[in-house]
Amino acid sequence: MSAPINPIEEATHNQGRAADPGTSVFVTANAGSGKTKVLVDRIARLLLRGSKPSAFLCITYTKAAAAEMQRRLFDRLGGWCVADDAKLAAELERLGAPGADLGKARALFAQALETPG
């Protein structure tokens, strides 16, 4: 008999899988379930892999949702600029990008800010 699955752990695991840029996914879920977090995680991982910020097209239903997604991404990238090495390495590990170049991660905020749109 297997142990019951913790729903929060399962959701976190599924969000991590959906944020993996190496997979093709379709995400649909209720409000407040973490869709925006998954998209921001996925974009951050793509940026860490060398994608250009200008290469993304994210479509939302409202301008408010688009602004929220941009705010969350900029908050994340801005936090990486000022985080110490240990904290940044741990954050990148949680994101699913262990061993990512810390200097490159710190430079992404400036790159994103300089990208029109």
Side-chain angles (χ1 to χ4, degrees):
M1 181 180 263
S2 62
I5 297 172
N6 177 326
I8 298 202
E9 288 176 8
E10 182 179 18
T12 301
H13 174 75
N14 288 338
Q15 285 179 343
R17 288 179 42 215
D20 180 0
T23 60
S24 178
V25 297
F26 179 85
V27 176
T28 180
N30 295 330
S33 61
K35 294 179 302 295
T36 300
K37 179 196 178 306
V38 168
L39 289 169
V40 169
D41 287 355
R42 191 173 177 98
I43 291 168
R45 288 174 70 171
L46 284 164
L47 290 170
L48 287 166
R49 289 183 177 185
S51 295
K52 303 277 186 236
S54 60
F56 295 101
L57 173 64
C58 297
I59 299 171
T60 62
Y61 286 108
T62 66
K63 290 181 182 180
E68 177 64 15
M69 188 182 309
Q70 183 178 40
R71 183 195 65 77
R72 288 190 197 185
L73 180 62
F74 283 176
D75 284 352
R76 162 122 8 122
L77 299 179
W80 290 357
C81 288
V82 297
D84 63 49
D85 286 354
K87 183 177 179 181
L88 179 54
E91 169 70 21
L92 296 175
E93 174 92 23
R94 277 191 303 279
L95 181 61
D101 182 321
L102 301 184
K104 182 177 180 178
R106 288 189 175 102
L108 290 174
F109 183 61
Q111 265 188 308
L113 283 177
E114 293 172 355
T115 301

